[in-house]
Amino acid sequence: MDAAPAPPRADDDVVDGATHARAPEPHMWPARLALIAVLLVALALRTWRLADLPPGLHTDEGHYASDAIDILRGARPVFLPGNNGREPLFSYIVALAFGGLGISILSLRLVAAFAGVLAAALTAAVARRMVGGRSTASTDSTGPTASTGPTASTASTASTQANPAAWVAVLAAAGVGFTFWPVLQSRVGLRLVLVPVWTALLVLAWDRALATSARQRQAVGILGVERRGALWAAATGVVLAAGFYTHLTGRVLPAIPVATGLWWAWRTRRPAVVGHIALALAVAGMLAFPLVRHLVRHPELAVARTGQVSVLNPEVNEGDLVGTLLDNAAALALAPFAEGDGNLYHNLPDRPIFGDAVWMLGWFVGLAMLVAAAVHGHDGRRRRWAVLAAVTLAVTVAPSWLSARAPNFLRLTGTWPVLFAVAAVGIDAVASRMPGRWPTPMRRAAYAALVGAALALPLWMTSRDYFARYAADERLYGIFNGAATEHGRHLATVAAEGPTYITPLLDQQTAIRVLTADHPPVAVDSAHGLLLPPAGRSARYVFDPLEVHAATAFAARWPQASAATMTDSRGTPSLTVFTFPAATVDDLAASWVANRIQRTTFGGAIALVAGSGRGSGPVATGPISAALMIEVLAPTGVDHNLFVHAVDGAGRTVAQFDGPPLDGRPTTERWAGGERAILVVPLTPAADAGDVDWTTTSLRSGWYDWRTGLRLACTPCPEDGTSAGIERWTGRSD
């Protein structure tokens, strides 16, 4: 009786019932050491001078870092609405880095740098799997089948290299690790650097799912095989969800398993593949459900950015949709070897993807082999890989093809694993096809020389182009907000000295929030008053160099403060800092004693200690205002608005203010206990106020939750329990 066939091993491939057995790996250590060396050099390219090159912190980077700070402090967003809306996964990873390494530009960019190195390592795995691991022969009922197509290892290669697949993997890793474009993108803290990681994992996991689906009629039993295939399909779903939580381009990744899975099911007549597709999509949908639900509830967020850049937008296609698509297709076709992205933020302007002749040649040869194997390949496994690679390349190119100004290298990052794996296969194919009359040592030397050139050329050219040409471009200082970054570094030094207050303009600059995270300043609109620290502490008010008029007005209004102007690395004015020494702060508060009223406490959070009204003449025409001094007992829990009503002798409200104190900068729930505030609010006359007897006019003030209209109770407030009276009036306001 014949023995039962042995079940296929986990790393065997089965196509149409045939097992592709893998031979033991010969002489792997040189290639493995070379791969480790490539990844270490790739890491060095991404981390040398990382904190200051590019110079500054781009606005996009600042938003990711700012969101990560919020996450570190307890926020748990499912979507980030700022900066045109963004998926949150990258910011969560940055938050982990901030928690472990501290909040800094370096910590932010290290996430991108390590993601770039991981993408290089995974691209090596994709290339290795694409080639098939090593020279193989498949045995089925019809006998051996020769390896053909773009993933084949030719006989001449086998004769010149012990394990060509391993060296193809080294080349692919070097492509991502050393080429200018991936190096540049891995040195900027943007979420798109995660997309090639998900693309590579998707390709690897889904190929395993397709491979195991062909085994379900083997003697090993349906249940065991289906379970393994289901696990790989579920892993595919997890990767799809990760892509969905990373970037808009992640939304197109499900097309890869759907298209290739349906093709594979049709070719192999295996219905289990359809089940694997359904399982992958189900797992992805379940994990992505919170974000999907949020976007369904807020559909404007789902299409905000895509609507801006889509070729369907008339402002993008300028009335010629077909022409725009054709132009984009032509630009994408030229990008690998002729003309790349012209945006300095994405690339050294117009530099093609491949900067040397070896990689350009490898791309053309590898692409031709890919197309040939996908269309005419006879080996099932290799044809499956060719189709999977071709579909993946098409899907990951689509976001740039369907949007403005192709080629956009940011939207093309998902192409890295397949793009560089295909080029690496092409280089290996060229290196392997040496004249047969050459002696074996000569063929091996020629192979080594070409592979060595493919490793050395991009490393040398990227080192030159990035650290010399790109770094020397003065436009980078503006693109990466060099001035704002210097403001942030100066402000961090100032804020470390004690309570610091900045203008709303400075507060809008994300670089400042990131760089001052250890001692965050408070944004105050000083045109509406002054926020002072608790007794015994000094205060600093800081103005942007663009706010010359506001700084001049502040100096005139508060002559008690001493002023100093800082300069940046270029010798231009940076920040203007007004300093109130601790004694001056206390004297300023004490100067309000003449305007003191009966101390009134609102909701146990705010105490009104002084106040006066300013104005003269008819209320209908004369400008009037109120000035109040309050002490903060505790934050209000939720933001509250202030109301101040001017009431005449007949009890009519003749002028009023209703709104956020200090124009909402900061909101009252961010006030700290012990702080004091001088609030100056304009009173808007009532339309029917007419002439007013000024001597009989008084003020009433209180606080309310602007969401509900509910007022804070106050003590003592004998009239209505929610508003305090201010009887003192002085001269005309300015």
Side-chain angles (χ1 to χ4, degrees), residues 568-584:
D568 60 23
S569 60
R570 299 187 169 193
T572 58
S574 176
L575 301 175
T576 300
V577 182
F578 292 90
T579 302
F580 295 88
T584 302

Side-chain angles (χ1 to χ4, degrees), residues 235-632:
T236 300
V238 172
V239 176
L240 289 175
F244 194 72
Y245 278 105
T246 298
H247 191 262
L248 289 169
T249 56
R251 300 177 190 178
V252 303
L253 293 182
I256 295 171
V258 170
T260 56
L262 291 176
W263 171 81
W264 189 241
W266 167 78
R267 184 181 184 279
T268 61
R269 305 297 190 267
R270 305 298 192 194
V273 182
V274 178
H276 289 161
I277 296 173
L279 178 59
L281 296 180
V283 170
M286 179 180 64
L287 294 176
F289 178 74
L291 178 54
V292 172
R293 179 178 60 183
H294 183 82
L295 294 177
V296 168
R297 291 177 176 176
H298 305 280
E300 71 283 357
L301 299 177
V303 298
R305 183 56 178 162
T306 53
Q308 294 172 2
V309 301
S310 170
V311 292
L312 299 178
N313 185 339
E315 294 183 3
V316 173
N317 64 44
E318 299 180 345
D320 184 9
L321 175 60
V322 174
T324 301
L325 290 172
L326 292 175
D327 289 343
N328 279 0
L332 288 165
L334 293 173
F337 63 94
E339 183 178 345
D341 195 331
N343 189 335
L344 189 63
Y345 180 31
H346 308 162
N347 188 35
L348 194 62
D350 301 328
R351 188 187 196 277
I353 294 172
F354 303 114
D356 61 84
V358 174
W359 279 90
M360 291 180 188
L361 177 61
W363 165 247
F364 284 118
V365 173
L367 185 62
M369 295 171 67
L370 178 75
V371 173
V375 176
H376 302 297
H378 300 294
D379 182 281
R381 179 195 180 282
R382 302 188 193 285
R383 189 175 187 187
R384 183 186 76 230
W385 255 102
V387 171
L388 179 57
V391 170
T392 301
L393 194 59
V395 169
T396 51
V397 164
S400 183
W401 179 52
L402 298 175
S403 60
R405 296 180 296 277
N408 184 301
F409 276 8
L410 287 183
R411 299 179 193 127
L412 287 172
T413 53
T415 64
W416 292 357
V418 171
L419 179 76
F420 288 99
V422 168
V425 169
I427 292 172
D428 175 77
V430 172
S432 302
R433 285 163 173 76
M434 299 302 169
R437 63 180 180 274
W438 286 12
T440 298
M442 184 179 294
R443 281 186 280 128
R444 287 181 176 174
Y447 183 95
L450 189 56
V451 169
L455 296 175
L457 284 173
L459 176 59
W460 171 70
M461 295 182 73
T462 295
S463 300
R464 178 200 64 188
D465 290 347
Y466 188 87
F467 295 105
R469 294 177 59 195
Y470 188 77
D473 196 313
E474 294 185 355
R475 292 173 294 174
L476 287 182
Y477 186 85
I479 291 172
F480 283 88
N481 292 326
T485 305
E486 293 201 58
H487 295 166
R489 289 179 174 136
H490 289 157
L491 191 53
T493 302
V494 172
E497 299 174 1
T500 301
Y501 306 96
I502 60 175
T503 64
L505 177 62
L506 286 171
D507 188 52
Q508 294 171 5
Q509 300 173 31
T510 55
I512 286 178
R513 186 176 184 219
V514 175
L515 294 169
T516 60
D518 291 336
H519 303 281
V522 177
V524 175
D525 189 344
S526 59
H528 299 276
L530 207 62
L531 196 60
L532 299 174
R537 304 196 67 185
S538 59
R540 281 142 289 277
Y541 273 77
V542 185
F543 290 79
D544 187 278
L546 297 176
E547 300 176 295
V548 175
H549 295 299
T552 302
F554 187 91
R557 190 169 192 175
W558 308 104
Q560 303 93 331
S562 60
T565 299
M566 309 177 81
T567 57
D568 60 23
S569 60
R570 299 187 169 193
T572 58
S574 176
L575 301 175
T576 300
V577 182
F578 292 90
T579 302
F580 295 88
T584 302
V585 171
D586 294 338
D587 290 344
L588 188 61
S591 67
W592 276 72
V593 67
N595 296 328
R596 284 195 178 275
I597 62 172
Q598 184 178 19
R599 182 184 179 91
T600 306
T601 302
F602 293 85
I606 298 171
L608 176 62
V609 298
S612 67
R614 296 186 176 94
S616 63
V619 174
T621 58
I624 60 172
S625 64
L628 312 176
M629 181 173 178
I630 64 170
E631 293 178 358
V632 181

Side-chain angles (χ1 to χ4, degrees), residues 612-613 626 644-647 683 697-701 724-727 729:
S612 67
V644 181
H645 295 170
V647 182
L683 301 180
T697 303
S698 63
L699 297 178
R700 303 206 64 81
S701 176
I726 304 171
E727 304 297 333
W729 281 86

